[in-house]
Amino acid sequence: MGGTDNAGEADQHPPTVGSFRFWFAGERWEWSDELTRMHGYEPGTVQPTTELLLSHKHPDDRAQVQDLLDHVLHSGESFSSRHRFLDTAGTMHNVVVVADRMFDEADTVVGTSGYYIDLTDTIAESTQEVLDATLQELVEARALIEQAKGALMVVYRINANQAFQVLRWRSQETNTKLRALAAQLVAELGTIPLDSPAAQNRFDHLLLTVHERIPPEPPAPQAPTAHAPDRPHRVHTRRSASQ
């Protein structure tokens, strides 16, 4: 299981995560039980639709999500976002949606699938801690985990606490050591222009697949086998005939 490298952050509860699939043909949605409960429903009691999904969005974010869905349907890109929604009880959730494209056997894009990461519990701790740093400052970060957190902060506009929770989720979800995951993520950051409009789509793909490219750890050197000390040779003396 992926470990944590920061004791203070590791004591926090991991974020609630729910998965989804969205087929472009017919705009068909599939929600996991966790995502269904996140919206306030019991599994099996509701059929997710685009209309239902939009009805739960925060009024200030609904148009943004509608525009994003229209873009996804026309471009074939993934449904990646950061927004707020209200569950059936009226509770607001702050979520990051991390997604990738789905392909059929002919390698044609048929939809998008991914995860809702609920960061509501951590967002109140420092809503103003959104990173306002340049990529140069990110590269100059000392620790690999800090660099990986910085990348998430830039792309998803979240604070350091929330970024760590996302990294820890991927570490646990993929049974990968957190440090190894962060190292590979940082190693591949140069392939993504973080100031590009498509940065989140490409970063989502990286985040969801980076564990597949982590090189195996070299085997630990084996300690030399302990040998029993050589027994001293016994010297046999022959008695002389006179003795």
Side-chain angles (χ1 to χ4, degrees):
M1 182 67 67
T4 55
D5 297 78
N6 186 310
E9 290 170 313
D11 290 339
Q12 300 167 9
H13 296 296
T16 301
V17 178
S19 61
F20 73 91
R21 292 182 180 181
F22 176 49
W23 283 267
F24 297 153
E27 297 189 26
R28 182 164 59 91
W29 291 88
E30 179 183 292
W31 287 358
S32 69
D33 291 351
E34 293 80 8
L35 185 56
T36 303
R37 292 191 181 97
M38 199 184 295
H39 282 80
Y41 302 101
E42 283 300 311
T45 63
V46 65
Q47 175 61 48
T49 63
T50 299
E51 290 73 19
L52 179 68
L53 178 137
L54 289 173
S55 72
H56 279 278
K57 301 309 175 189
H58 189 283
D60 293 340
D61 295 347
R62 187 173 297 136
Q64 165 203 332
V65 177
Q66 175 69 76
D67 291 344
L68 175 61
L69 283 173
D70 291 342
H71 176 71
V72 166
L73 287 169
H74 286 89
S75 67
E77 294 182 359
S78 58
F79 177 56
S80 305
S81 174
R82 177 175 181 265
H83 61 266
R84 298 161 294 176
F85 73 82
L86 305 175
D87 62 23
T88 56
T91 303
M92 186 172 68
H93 297 256
N94 291 272
V95 296
V96 169
V97 181
V98 179
D100 208 348
R101 295 178 296 173
M102 294 193 302
F103 297 85
D104 62 13
E105 295 179 354
D107 208 29
T108 302
V109 179
V110 295
T112 179
S113 65
Y115 304 88
Y116 273 62
I117 308 170
D118 191 346
L119 298 173
T120 305
D121 291 339
T122 61
I123 205 139
E125 297 172 5
S126 182
T127 55
Q128 299 303 317
E129 280 187 30
V130 177
L131 183 69
D132 186 18
T134 64
L135 183 58
Q136 182 63 31
E137 291 172 332
L138 169 64
V139 173
E140 290 173 354
R142 294 180 181 180
L144 289 172
I145 291 177
E146 291 303 315
Q147 292 184 46
K149 284 167 54 179
L152 268 71
M153 292 163 71
V154 168
V155 174
Y156 298 126
R157 305 183 309 282
I158 56 181
N159 62 39
N161 230 4
Q162 298 158 352
F164 181 81
Q165 295 302 326
V166 174
L167 281 177
R168 189 169 75 156
W169 161 63
R170 290 310 296 160
S171 171
Q172 295 176 342
E173 181 80 9
T174 61
N175 195 26
T176 306
K177 289 184 178 179
L178 182 59
R179 188 177 298 276
L181 188 77
Q184 188 65 25
L185 188 70
V186 170
E188 298 186 28
L189 271 180
T191 64
I192 300 176
L194 296 185
D195 56 351
S196 160
Q200 183 171 342
N201 296 100
R202 296 180 61 182
F203 190 86
D204 282 359
H205 177 76
L206 173 61
L207 182 63
L208 293 176
T209 62
V210 67
H211 64 282
E212 301 171 356
R213 297 180 293 279
I214 296 176
E217 294 183 357
Q222 295 184 351
T225 304
H227 294 283
D230 294 333
R231 294 182 179 179
H233 293 288
R234 183 175 296 174
V235 178
H236 296 279
T237 59
R238 181 178 295 177
R239 291 176 182 268
S240 65
S242 61
Q243 287 180 328

